[in-house]
């Protein structure tokens, strides 16, 4: 199972892209827990929660900031980082070869 960490949506467009990604993942039969960053639940807290729950793959759904922060938090672990770039720069999308 996967642990999806979604960035707090900055606007309706981002929220809609998150919903599309979530529906696509579900339609492919890929299950997991989804959590969203908020002022009450930081990236660090959510990442730590995912690790403590025993997830082996953490999927960052959002911008460069979210992706980089999660990557830095799990870099010394055996966890796998998945990325769904929503609002990410071309640098990130080129890195994972997801330009569309």
């Amino acid at each position: 199972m996967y642990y999806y960490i979604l960035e707090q949506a900055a606007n309706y467009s981002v929220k809609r892209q998150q919903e599309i990604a979530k529906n696509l993942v579900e339609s492919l039969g890929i299950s997991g827990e989804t959590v969203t960053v908020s002022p009450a639940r930081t990236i660090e807290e959510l990442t730590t929660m995912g690790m403590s729950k025993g997830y082996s793959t953490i999927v960052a759904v959002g911008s460069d900031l979210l992706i980089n922060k999660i990557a830095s938090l799990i870099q010394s672990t055996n966890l796998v980082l998945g990325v769904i770039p929503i609002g990410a720069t071309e640098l990130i999308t080129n890195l994972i070869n997801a330009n569309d």
Side-chain angles (χ1 to χ4, degrees):
M1 292 227 323
Y2 297 93
Y3 187 73
Y4 298 90
I5 301 177
L6 281 69
E7 195 162 38
Q8 188 172 19
N11 55 48
Y12 177 77
S13 175
V14 171
K15 180 72 171 168
R16 183 71 187 128
Q17 289 176 343
Q18 289 175 341
E19 290 172 8
I20 291 168
K22 187 176 178 183
N23 290 337
L24 178 61
V25 166
E26 288 174 0
S27 74
L28 295 171
I30 302 171
S31 60
E33 181 179 351
T34 303
V35 295
T36 303
V37 175
S38 71
R41 296 172 21 168
T42 66
I43 298 168
E44 295 85 356
E45 291 170 323
L46 293 174
T47 303
T48 302
M49 284 173 46
M51 290 188 287
S52 68
K53 290 181 178 184
Y55 288 101
S56 59
T57 302
I58 294 181
V59 182
V61 183
S63 70
D64 295 22
L65 175 71
L66 179 78
I67 296 164
N68 289 330
K69 188 64 164 177
I70 294 171
S72 69
L73 292 167
I74 68 169
Q75 70 179 348
S76 61
T77 71
N78 290 328
L79 294 172
V80 174
L81 174 64
V83 174
I84 300 176
I86 297 177
T89 65
E90 193 173 310
L91 178 65
I92 294 290
T93 58
N94 287 340
L95 180 67
I96 65 168
N97 198 25
N99 298 319
D100 60 355

